[in-house]
């Protein structure tokens, strides 16, 4: 399934290896608030160290807008990583240029160096060849383990592969295998569940899934745009007016494959303390808005999920950040955990919901990359993956 070379196919002994990891972790008060992505990078880092390599790690963090901004420094991540590895981790206050070059030159086999945020240079997102060449000059080989950034052709994910032999890391391989398999050869019925705020993000995904999936269950704010396209007044619900026509086309193409909620939770304010009602889907009264799927929908979706061979879920069923509107999301999470299906959770909010409900152990694979997994579901090639050496 994974057609690219990985770190298992190459000799890393004594070599300096530049590894693009996804250390785009949430920080709180200058410290790592969730280490999922750091944990996920450890197998590759440890395998390289065990193989006698010197490991140079690079990543972006947040959106620093192409300038050095201390709020987005990877220094706290380097400190955290040192604790996890139980060894010293060097840090270079720039990812290219003299500071990075000196730090890389000083690194010995078995050593680990973290480079500062690649997005402190505007050239990163422009996939600037000069930046890519500078990054590449730090090492003798490149490993891409940043599945979460593989859908971006940036200097540190794609450009750099033009200057160094480039292979995949173990996380990259694992992510591609699970999702790739689910899409290419799903155990059927193949059920996908899509939620979240916006339909425009997921039009391409729905289009592609209508060809490969058996059922697409819709929830979250994106359902509202479908409702409006069907002619329901949705009052103060979140709607993407610009996507109404596409929503109609998808409904026509989807037929019974594409399922919408049959009942909804509405509220008279976007507030956890708002007055709420459960109603069968019907015109929404002025002053009210849809903020979650209803119990009948949960029951129906649960039944479909319980019979599934494969389930892929991306996006919450309601405004799950507010406990009053979190039920649909958590009950769908429970239904997935209870099923015998191969279950794959796209990153982001759905992954957070699964973890928060303590169900992570019951899931086949929780992806570290929301955007990247959506692009795979859309049938797109990931540039960071395509650029790696073929097997
Ligand atoms: P996305 O980033 O597109 O996956 O959307 C996630 C966001 O969608 C979460 O912050 C939810 O609060 C929000 N969301 C889910 N359902 C609704 C809804 N019915 N109305 C407004 N926002 C929603």
């Amino acid at each position: 399934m994974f057609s690219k070379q990985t770190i298992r196919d190459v000799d890393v002994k004594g070599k300096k290896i530049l590894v693009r990891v996804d250390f785009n972790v949430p920080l709180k008060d200058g410290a790592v608030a969730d280490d999922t992505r750091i944990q996920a990078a450890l197998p590759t880092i440890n395998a390289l160290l065990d193989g006698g390599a010197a490991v140079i790690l690079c990543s972006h963090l947040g959106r620093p807008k192409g300038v050095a901004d201390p709020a987005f420094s990877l220094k706290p991540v380097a400190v955290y990583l040192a604790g996890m590895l139980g060894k010293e981790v060097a840090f270079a206050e720039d990812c290219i240029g003299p500071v990075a070059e000196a730090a890389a030159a000083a690194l010995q086999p078995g050593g680990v160096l973290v480079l500062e945020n690649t997005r402190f240079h505007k050239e990163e997102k422009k996939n600037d060849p000069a930046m890519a060449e500078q990054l590449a000059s730090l090492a003798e080989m490149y490993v891409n383990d940043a599945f979460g950034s593989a859908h971006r052709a940036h200097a540190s994910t794609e450009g750099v592969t033009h200057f160094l032999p480039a292979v995949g890391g173990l996380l990259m391989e694992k992510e591609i295998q699970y999702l790739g398999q689910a899409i290419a050869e799903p155990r059927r019925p193949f059920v996908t569940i899509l939620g979240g705020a916006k339909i425009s993000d997921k039009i391409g995904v729905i289009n592609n899934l209508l060809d490969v999936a058996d059922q697409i269950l819709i929830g979250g704010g994106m359902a509202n745009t479908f409702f409006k396209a069907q002619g329901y007044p949705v009052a103060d619900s979140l709607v993407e007016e610009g996507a109404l026509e596409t929503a109609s086309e998808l409904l026509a193409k989807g037929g019974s494959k594409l399922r919408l909620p049959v009942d909804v939770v509405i509220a008279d304010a976007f507030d956890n303390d708002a007055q709420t009602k459960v109603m069968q889907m019907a015109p929404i009264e002025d002053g009210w808005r849809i903020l979650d799927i209803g119990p009948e929908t949960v029951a129906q979706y649960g039944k479909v999920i319980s019979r599934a061979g494969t389930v892929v879920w991306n996006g919450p069923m309601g405004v799950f950040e507010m406990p009053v509107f979190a039920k649909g999301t958590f009950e769908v999470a429970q239904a997935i955990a209870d099923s015998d299906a191969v279950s794959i959770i796209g990153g982001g909010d759905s992954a957070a919901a699964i973890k928060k409900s303590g169900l992570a152990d019951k899931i086949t694979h929780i992806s570290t990359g929301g955007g990247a997994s959506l692009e795979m579901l859309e049938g797109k090639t990931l540039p960071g993956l395509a650029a790696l050496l073929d097997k």
Side-chain angles (χ1 to χ4, degrees):
M1 199 56 168
F2 192 76
S3 60
K4 298 296 183 176
Q5 292 188 36
T6 73
I7 57 171
R8 280 194 299 270
D9 299 310
V10 289
D11 182 14
V12 301
K13 196 172 162 81
K15 289 197 178 116
K16 291 198 167 100
I17 316 280
L18 178 68
V19 188
R20 176 55 157 98
V21 283
D22 179 5
F23 280 171
N24 183 27
V25 298
L27 297 176
K28 200 168 176 228
D29 303 326
V32 173
D34 180 338
D35 68 2
T36 307
R37 285 177 161 172
I38 308 175
Q39 289 271 10
L42 291 181
T44 293
I45 296 171
N46 282 323
L48 290 172
L49 293 174
D50 290 347
V55 175
I56 304 171
L57 301 166
C58 68
S59 176
H60 80 280
L61 194 163
R63 296 192 167 135
K65 304 208 163 66
V67 291
D69 177 344
F72 297 103
S73 174
L74 276 163
K75 184 92 190 263
V77 178
V79 171
Y80 195 96
L81 178 66
M84 274 180 140
L85 292 173
K87 67 189 295 173
E88 202 179 312
V89 169
F91 182 73
E93 286 177 4
D94 200 347
C95 67
I96 50 172
V99 173
E101 284 158 18
L107 197 66
Q108 297 300 314
V112 180
L113 166 67
V114 172
L115 304 176
E116 186 54 287
N117 196 336
T118 51
R119 287 196 190 165
F120 282 4
H121 296 269
K122 63 181 184 323
E123 291 82 3
E124 159 75 331
K125 287 173 83 171
K126 291 182 178 159
N127 197 5
D128 176 63
M131 176 172 177
E133 189 170 15
Q134 277 186 286
L135 267 173
S137 74
L138 304 175
E140 294 149 86
M141 186 181 287
Y142 170 78
V143 173
N144 193 345
D145 208 25
F147 173 73
S149 299
H151 57 313
R152 307 275 182 234
H154 291 168
S156 71
T157 62
E158 200 276 340
V160 65
T161 67
H162 299 281
F163 301 97
L164 282 177
V167 303
L170 303 176
L171 174 65
M172 179 72 87
E173 179 187 45
K174 187 166 112 183
E175 293 267 15
I176 301 290
Q177 273 174 336
Y178 276 114
L179 255 170
Q181 172 94 18
I183 299 163
E185 299 163 8
R187 241 172 65 191
R188 293 192 183 270
F190 177 19
V191 174
T192 56
I193 308 156
L194 295 176
K198 294 200 295 183
I199 185 176
S200 53
D201 295 344
K202 290 176 184 136
I203 289 168
V205 177
I206 298 172
N207 234 328
N208 190 47
L209 287 178
L210 283 173
D211 296 329
V212 298
D214 298 300
Q215 286 269 279
I216 304 174
L217 310 177
I218 302 285
M222 66 189 290
N224 305 339
T225 303
F226 284 114
F227 287 141
K228 184 147 189 196
Q230 286 180 323
Y232 287 111
V234 292
D236 293 349
S237 305
L238 176 82
V239 167
E240 275 180 272
E241 299 290 341
L244 286 171
E245 211 176 300
T246 316
S248 298
E249 287 162 14
L250 289 173
L251 286 168
K253 178 176 172 191
S256 60
K257 254 192 193 183
L258 191 61
R259 288 182 60 169
L260 296 178
V262 292
D263 61 346
V264 290
V265 179
I266 60 169
D268 64 356
F270 190 81
D271 193 310
N272 196 50
D273 297 322
Q275 200 185 329
T276 66
K277 287 194 255 189
V278 174
M279 61 177 277
Q280 296 295 305
M281 190 52 207
I284 308 294
E285 269 175 74
D286 281 350
W288 293 74
R289 74 221 68 216
I290 302 169
L291 294 180
D292 197 7
I293 59 173
E296 177 60 29
T297 306
V298 167
Q300 287 189 7
Y301 285 7
K303 213 175 259 175
V304 174
I305 292 164
S306 73
R307 297 190 194 121
T310 305
V311 177
V312 175
W313 178 30
N314 194 305
M317 297 289 100
V319 182
F320 80 117
E321 297 91 337
M322 299 184 199
V324 174
F325 310 111
K327 227 171 158 187
T329 299
F330 285 107
E331 292 189 356
V332 161
Q334 186 69 52
I336 297 171
D338 290 343
S339 81
D340 295 325
V342 173
S343 51
I344 299 173
I345 314 296
D349 291 334
S350 351
I354 284 279
K355 282 184 208 140
K356 202 168 157 202
S357 44
L359 301 170
D361 292 355
K362 303 214 160 66
I363 302 300
T364 313
H365 179 67
I366 301 179
S367 176
T368 54
S373 58
L374 277 176
E375 294 213 5
M376 280 189 75
L377 290 174
E378 201 171 336
K380 283 190 178 163
T381 307
L382 307 179
L385 175 68
L388 303 178
L389 292 170
D390 291 321
K391 265 222 162 60

